[in-house]
Structures are given as structure tokens and as C-alpha cells.
Amino acid sequence: MTSLVRHLTFDCHDAYRQATFWAEVLDGSLSDDDVPGDPEALVRSEGLTLLFVTVPDTKSVKNRVHVDLQPQDRGRDAEVERILALGAKVHDDQRRPDGRGWVTLTDPEGNEFCVERSAAEREAFVEPGGDA
């Protein structure tokens, strides 16, 4: 057996705050023993576990790795609005007039992540010039 990814780890300034944001985004949960001020906080969600670790460094460049989200029970645009209401900001909007594309958002500490179309939106898309 080879290695498995146990969790994706983010350096940040406030592990608990970041974990709380991501738990809401992913409909996940923080570990029972995580409290404000902890140097680490763990978020468990379906299919992904995120670990946030408080470090003194400041983010200074674009992420080399980022999360791509695909909404499960709503469309891309509704999911973008929901996540914006949780505290994210729009970084780059790549939505196209034909409905394709994605939106790059940033979390409260400036880490980029993308919201893509839902599976239903992908299935419903008809290539230009194609049949409905």
C-alpha cells in the first residue's frame, strides 16, 4: 500500500477562525477539543479533512495548491453567494455568458479557492450548436 492523504494543512494566523469558516463552507465539523486560541484546529467533512495551524508568517503570494468546490445541492452562483455571506471575497470571476466557468474566492485570510458548476449544471449544459 502506498501513502494516503490524511488531511490538507493550511498555515494561518488564527487556526480556530479559519477552521470555523471552512467547517461552514463544507458543512463539516470542528474537532470537539478545538477552541478559540488553539494553535491547531481540525475540520472533518465528507471526503476531506482540513488542518489549520497557526504560524507567524504572513501569506505573501498566490497559493500553489488550492481547493476546488463543486456544490452538491445548489447551483454555482447560489453557492458563491452563500460562501460570500460567510466572509469570503471574490478574487477572480471566470463565469462565462454560456454558464460555464468558475469563481475564485478568498477565505478570511486570503487563501484562494474556486467554486465550480454543480454536477447538475454540467449535465444540463449543451455545447453551442448542439442539441438540447
Side-chain angles (χ1 to χ4, degrees):
M1 169 67 91
T2 59
S3 295
L4 298 174
V5 175
R6 183 167 174 223
H7 40 68
L8 186 60
T9 302
F10 289 82
D11 290 348
C12 58
H13 282 242
D14 186 336
Y16 187 82
R17 179 175 163 235
Q18 282 291 91
T20 300
F21 170 81
W22 280 98
E24 290 183 61
V25 168
L26 299 173
D27 192 27
S29 61
L30 276 77
S31 286
D32 293 337
D33 58 350
D34 287 332
V35 296
D38 279 353
E40 296 181 0
L42 190 72
V43 174
R44 290 186 176 91
S45 67
E46 186 177 331
L48 182 64
T49 301
L50 303 177
L51 175 63
F52 296 91
V53 179
T54 301
V55 299
D57 310 341
T58 301
K59 181 180 181 301
S60 60
V61 297
K62 182 182 181 301
N63 296 9
R64 297 284 305 253
V65 174
H66 69 267
V67 175
D68 287 342
L69 302 177
Q70 183 179 42
Q72 299 300 300
D73 57 358
R74 63 180 56 89
R76 175 201 56 213
D77 297 345
E79 183 68 349
V80 166
E81 292 306 315
R82 182 184 78 83
I83 296 171
L84 289 172
L86 296 174
K89 294 187 174 143
V90 173
H91 178 72
D92 186 29
D93 193 332
Q94 292 292 320
R95 290 178 279 195
R96 299 180 189 167
D98 66 5
R100 291 186 291 178
W102 65 92
V103 180
T104 303
L105 302 176
T106 57
D107 70 15
E109 290 199 12
N111 299 300
E112 299 92 3
F113 63 98
C114 295
V115 180
E116 300 179 350
R117 295 179 293 160
S118 68
E121 289 171 314
R122 288 175 186 276
E123 289 174 18
F125 182 76
V126 177
E127 287 289 333
D131 294 328

